[in-house]
Amino acid sequence: MPERELKKKPEPQQRESEADLSPAVAESGTKIKAELDDLLDEIDEVLETNAEEFVKSYIQKGGQ
Amino acid sequence: MAIPKICGIETEYGILIRGVAESNPISSSSMLINSYLSLLEGDRIGWDFEDEMPGNDARQDQRLLSVAPEVETHLVNAVLTNGARYYVDHAHPEFSAPECIDAAQALLYDRAGEEILLQSMAAAQRQMPDGQEIVVYKNNSDGKGNSYGCHENYLMDRATPFPSIVLHATTHFVTRQIFTGSGKVGTEMPGVRRDSVPFQLTQRADFFEEEVGLETTLKRPIINTRDEPHADPVKYRRLHVIAGDANMAEVATFLKLGSTAILLAMIEDEVLDDLPQLAHPVPAMHQVSQDLSLSEPLLLADGSSMTALEMQWLILEHAQNWAGSRGLSSVGEEVGEQILQRWEEVLNGLDQDPLSLASQVDWVAKYRLFQASMERHGLDWSSPRLAAMDLQYHDLRAGTSLSRRMGLERLTTDAQVALAITEPPPETRAYFRGRCLARFPEQVVAANWDSLVFDIGESALQRVPMLEPGKGTQEAVGALIDSSADAAELLQRLK
């Protein structure tokens, strides 16, 4: 068995500003929306037309 | 020395009948599966899905390609030529993938299961009245307090004491949620306001109430004690894992199985003695699932604390050391390297920029999509539109699936998946089961995980026990099965 190079967890990066200390996934919706605009167009087209009715009808009993 | 981590996934699918006021999920599940089985028989319904299986001659498949398993039940229950079991479990269609040699293969057969469900839906559609449709969802919750499982199974050495499995696997099952979670809007914990948790990492965490137990449908335990090895009980244990989400992201499925296979192999090799233990695993399970910041400390048994991410780094470090000293043969040399590499990449991503994992981890993909949608439409987390998207993320149909539009990274190819719909994994006993079924459909009268029963025209049925999950491989019996004219000749030559 050849020697394996053991990879260690990198040191935590220095946080650059106070804002980065907020929740890890609290990136602004605006930025994500800009990235996903085309996808959102497509998804809005295929999404259930009556969301409320669809969600209400989805009942699953008797599962493990 | 750790034994080969033969593994597999069983998935219960959510089922919805569109276009009717009231429906019976049991009869609908039966119809769905029967429609698929009829398709295989090739007479009742025209053979028209050959286009989806390049390389296969449809004529070869125009024979009975399924058989009833030994378990007597009034519900539909079939074994397929790829070695899988396809049946109605409780009120859901369930696909139990065949025994696989490693995590990559188990992923492949999980994906083949999705395709089988898709073909089932298409076949069922032709028998449904206009305006009605059966749709399945690969998720684990209806958002109303009802859950159904995506279970994993791993072969383990019976000699390994169960308490050490409980100790270390619990740590992993609680903390791996940070990359295995499929994401969910709201909470379904009894007595807790649904909107008190806007979004959480997993579908399943809400439903876990015990640390260890036998139940799978209520008071679900983090460690399930079902002791049904489906193999030589003196040598083997089958660890039945119920604490995971069904994943749409292939990377998530691969890493869920791969990291767990390595963890269990390390337990067998007794290299985890210094791994910290959680003080309160059940509350920790909920806490990890609800912590979008990935930074909440979990109380440990020794009074100190660590985050789930830190604990995963620690397990990975053990895994890297273990690989260096013991080798990766128990989880597959090449696949083992891929698991370790991917594990490290994903933990790095979670450390530095979780949103960078949107093509690999389901909860991230979902979260990102929901954020964007809320921004566009001015919604908040309680919007029915988000609840609908949450369900539709898990829709399998190409025309309507949200997850299939999100650019999720593929680890399998379409051609591999197509082949896995009919062909068994070559490296386990699933090969013997599946191949015998394909070659001698009229002579296989019953099949089960650990035996196959033949009728070769004699007064007594012939049972072939398959108590060794790693035997009956293509290498060992492939030529024998293929060169035998019938099952009688095969059994004679196997003696």
Side-chain angles (χ1 to χ4, degrees):
Chain A
M1 167 73 48
E3 284 279 306
R4 284 178 53 84
E5 188 189 339
L6 295 182
K7 295 173 189 140
K8 297 287 185 211
K9 175 190 172 181
E11 290 300 311
Q13 292 185 329
Q14 190 66 38
R15 303 278 186 179
E16 284 179 4
S17 70
E18 196 72 342
D20 286 343
L21 294 172
S22 59
V25 288
E27 188 168 340
S28 80
T30 322
K31 181 169 171 238
I32 306 171
K33 179 178 167 289
E35 290 168 11
L36 291 188
D37 239 5
D38 290 346
L39 177 69
L40 285 175
D41 287 342
E42 196 186 332
I43 280 178
D44 283 348
E45 258 175 48
V46 301
L47 200 61
E48 291 286 341
T49 43
N50 189 339
E52 200 158 358
E53 197 54 42
F54 168 56
V55 170
K56 220 167 95 183
S57 70
Y58 191 83
I59 299 169
Q60 306 287 320
K61 289 191 171 152
Q64 291 207 56
Chain B
M1 188 68 195
I3 65 169
K5 285 289 147 281
I6 291 176
C7 56
I9 305 179
E10 29 177 313
T11 306
E12 282 183 304
Y13 286 82
I15 184 165
L16 185 64
I17 300 84
R18 316 286 308 259
V20 292
E22 277 187 33
S23 63
N24 179 336
I26 299 174
S27 59
S28 305
S29 298
S30 300
M31 185 192 170
L32 183 77
I33 295 171
N34 275 326
S35 300
Y36 181 74
L37 300 178
S38 303
L39 207 59
L40 299 180
E41 287 165 19
D43 49 4
R44 265 196 280 170
I45 296 172
W47 191 258
D48 69 349
F49 72 114
E50 59 204 7
D51 289 345
E52 298 170 28
M53 297 156 54
N56 279 6
D57 184 340
R59 284 167 305 183
Q60 284 181 358
D61 294 307
Q62 278 187 335
R63 53 185 188 233
L64 189 65
L65 284 178
S66 66
V67 69
E70 231 174 319
V71 186
E72 284 300 327
T73 162
H74 64 290
L75 299 175
V76 186
N77 207 332
V79 179
L80 309 180
T81 57
N82 67 0
R85 183 179 176 207
Y86 189 24
Y87 65 119
V88 181
D89 192 24
H90 302 275
H92 300 270
E94 172 160 338
F95 179 81
S96 289
E99 305 90 328
C100 296
I101 195 67
D102 58 37
Q105 196 174 64
L107 162 66
L108 178 64
Y109 281 87
D110 182 59
R111 292 286 285 113
E114 291 180 19
E115 291 301 316
I116 286 171
L117 266 296
L118 270 171
Q119 293 182 4
S120 303
M121 280 188 271
Q125 192 55 48
R126 278 169 251 165
Q127 301 176 39
M128 299 285 285
D130 280 350
Q132 292 186 21
E133 187 180 9
I134 297 179
V135 187
V136 302
Y137 294 82
K138 193 188 181 199
N139 60 5
N140 304 102
S141 144
D142 66 358
K144 300 166 186 72
N146 301 308
S147 185
Y148 33 100
C150 174
H151 300 173
E152 305 142 61
N153 296 289
Y154 303 89
L155 189 70
M156 291 199 72
D157 190 339
R158 177 66 68 170
T160 299
F162 196 68
S164 69
I165 299 175
V166 172
L167 208 58
H168 302 305
T170 300
T171 307
H172 187 54
F173 295 159
V174 170
T175 57
R176 73 175 189 170
Q177 293 185 100
I178 58 177
F179 55 79
T180 63
S182 284
K184 183 171 76 176
V185 177
T187 177
E188 295 166 271
M189 279 172 65
V192 181
R193 273 182 50 145
R194 181 175 156 73
D195 59 1
S196 64
V197 177
F199 183 85
Q200 60 177 313
L201 307 191
T202 76
Q203 297 255 307
R204 279 285 262 186
D206 284 343
F207 302 97
F208 284 79
E209 302 173 58
E210 305 282 342
E211 291 179 19
V212 183
L214 193 54
E215 297 283 356
T216 57
T217 57
L218 50 104
K219 288 201 172 299
R220 293 182 183 85
I222 296 171
I223 301 287
N224 181 250
T225 54
R226 179 182 295 178
D227 190 4
E228 191 185 18
H230 295 312
D232 183 346
V234 177
K235 293 170 71 176
Y236 302 116
R237 177 187 300 288
R238 171 181 66 116
L239 187 67
H240 183 234
V241 179
I242 69 169
D245 283 4
N247 296 111
M248 303 305 293
E250 292 194 1
V251 172
T253 297
F254 176 65
L255 195 52
K256 175 176 72 177
L257 286 151
S259 66
T260 304
I262 287 180
L263 185 279
L264 298 175
M266 289 195 290
I267 294 173
E268 286 175 346
D269 281 343
E270 301 177 336
V271 297
L272 294 178
D273 287 347
D274 59 342
L275 199 65
Q277 305 308 319
L278 293 161
H280 308 296
V282 175
M285 186 109 183
H286 306 145
Q287 193 183 347
V288 170
S289 185
Q290 295 176 13
D291 175 22
L292 296 187
S293 76
L294 306 174
S295 64
E296 280 185 26
L298 305 171
L299 186 62
L300 303 181
D302 66 5
S304 64
S305 62
M306 285 178 99
T307 67
L309 187 50
E310 287 167 342
M311 293 183 90
Q312 276 297 313
W313 275 116
L314 201 57
I315 296 172
L316 174 60
E317 197 180 313
H318 277 82
Q320 289 165 333
N321 290 334
W322 169 81
S325 63
R326 309 291 179 102
L328 289 162
S329 61
S330 57
V331 293
E333 296 286 353
E334 203 179 316
V335 171
E337 292 288 355
Q338 290 164 5
I339 297 165
L340 290 175
Q341 191 185 345
R342 184 66 73 163
W343 201 346
E344 184 172 350
E345 283 171 14
V346 166
L347 295 187
N348 261 324
L350 292 169
D351 241 341
Q352 288 159 21
D353 179 15
L355 288 176
S356 68
L357 298 173
S359 67
Q360 304 179 61
V361 172
D362 284 304
W363 75 261
V364 177
K366 229 185 222 183
Y367 178 87
R368 195 160 160 268
L369 175 65
F370 291 2
Q371 282 287 0
S373 192
M374 286 194 292
E375 181 70 23
R376 170 178 283 201
H377 298 287
L379 310 171
D380 63 34
W381 285 106
S382 65
S383 162
R385 191 185 177 91
L386 287 192
M389 289 173 83
D390 199 350
L391 294 173
Q392 211 175 320
Y393 180 88
H394 301 271
D395 189 333
L396 298 178
R397 299 168 300 169
T400 44
S401 174
L402 299 194
S403 54
R404 293 284 170 257
R405 292 180 154 68
M406 312 252 337
L408 295 174
E409 183 182 343
R410 291 286 303 269
L411 301 177
T412 64
T413 66
D414 288 346
Q416 288 171 328
V417 173
L419 206 60
I421 292 173
T422 54
E423 304 303 312
E427 304 93 343
T428 69
R429 67 182 176 191
Y431 184 84
F432 184 75
R433 182 188 310 120
R435 192 64 196 154
C436 281
L437 194 52
R439 281 277 291 143
F440 314 119
E442 275 97 42
Q443 292 178 291
V444 178
V445 294
N448 212 327
W449 295 114
D450 54 12
S451 71
L452 213 50
V453 180
F454 295 88
D455 182 352
I456 54 170
E458 295 177 355
S459 56
L461 296 175
Q462 305 289 311
R463 174 189 296 271
V464 177
M466 304 190 294
L467 292 170
E468 288 287 343
K471 291 187 178 169
T473 62
Q474 180 175 33
E475 192 182 353
V477 298
L480 207 58
I481 297 173
D482 289 352
S483 64
S484 294
D486 57 19
E489 184 185 340
L490 173 67
L491 296 188
Q492 186 58 39
R493 292 167 71 186
L494 279 174
K495 277 179 185 165

